[in-house]
Amino acid sequence: MMETLTLGRVVGEVVDMFTPTVKMDVIYSCNKQVSNGHEIMPSVITAKPRVDIGGEDMSAAYTLIMTYPDFPSPSDPYLREHLHWLVTDIPGTTDVSFGREVVEYETPKLVVGIHRYMFLLFKQARGRQTVRVPASRDNFNIRQFSQENGLGLLVAAVYFNAQREIAARRR
């Protein structure tokens, strides 16, 4: 798993090396599960996914962040990163619907190129806590945000690729 996160430049470019300790399943409509480096069609990612959090401790709390590190485009990511979704206070062994949605899910808007979208799960160091809402979705920095909000350890990560669907040409 860490190898695919490193090859996909999640580890290094977006987050530091970490040890995955909690199972996280991200599933979009039509039971499309997110797997590292796999492509998902834009029509599938229009609505927020179901995110199941594993672990063995229901009293543990987690924060889920969906970010787009190549914003606004992979060839010129000058607004890196873009925050797509932020959910806090998710109890372990449940799913995101039990958490507190701090920033609503934003459907990715794809331009030319292959885009990476990442789901990062942090174990909250202090149990339930207040997280400062970012001033903007643009220029979001996961490392800085997690430090400023005392999110604790990164315990799971998964990413997918997407690119704009090209309509079939008419004859």
Side-chain angles (χ1 to χ4, degrees), residues 151-170:
L151 290 186
L153 296 174
L154 178 62
V155 295
V158 66
Y159 82 100
F160 69 92
N161 296 318
Q163 59 185 317
R164 186 165 39 177
E165 294 177 57
I166 298 177
R169 293 183 178 167
R170 296 178 188 243

Side-chain angles (χ1 to χ4, degrees), residues 83 88 108 136 169:
L83 177 64
T88 65
S136 171
R169 293 183 178 167

Side-chain angles (χ1 to χ4, degrees), residues 55-143:
E56 299 174 7
D57 184 4
M58 195 170 176
S59 66
Y62 296 91
T63 292
L64 175 75
I65 299 172
M66 179 185 178
T67 184
Y68 169 37
D70 305 321
F71 188 69
S73 72
S75 61
D76 187 19
Y78 68 92
L79 293 175
R80 171 178 289 167
E81 302 162 32
H82 185 81
L83 177 64
H84 275 273
W85 197 23
L86 174 59
V87 183
T88 65
D89 300 334
I90 307 163
T93 74
T94 66
D95 65 69
V96 292
S97 68
F98 290 92
R100 186 170 65 90
E101 190 174 59
V102 177
V103 176
E104 284 184 3
Y105 180 83
E106 179 182 78
T107 301
K109 296 167 186 65
L110 304 172
V111 294
V112 176
I114 297 173
H115 306 264
R116 298 175 297 159
Y117 294 91
M118 300 167 189
F119 292 91
L120 306 166
L121 186 69
F122 292 86
K123 184 173 184 180
Q124 295 173 195
R126 300 183 299 255
R128 306 280 188 271
Q129 65 189 48
T130 302
V131 171
R132 177 188 55 80
V133 177
S136 171
R137 289 179 185 254
D138 298 342
N139 291 308
F140 181 77
N141 182 301
I142 191 68
R143 287 180 174 108

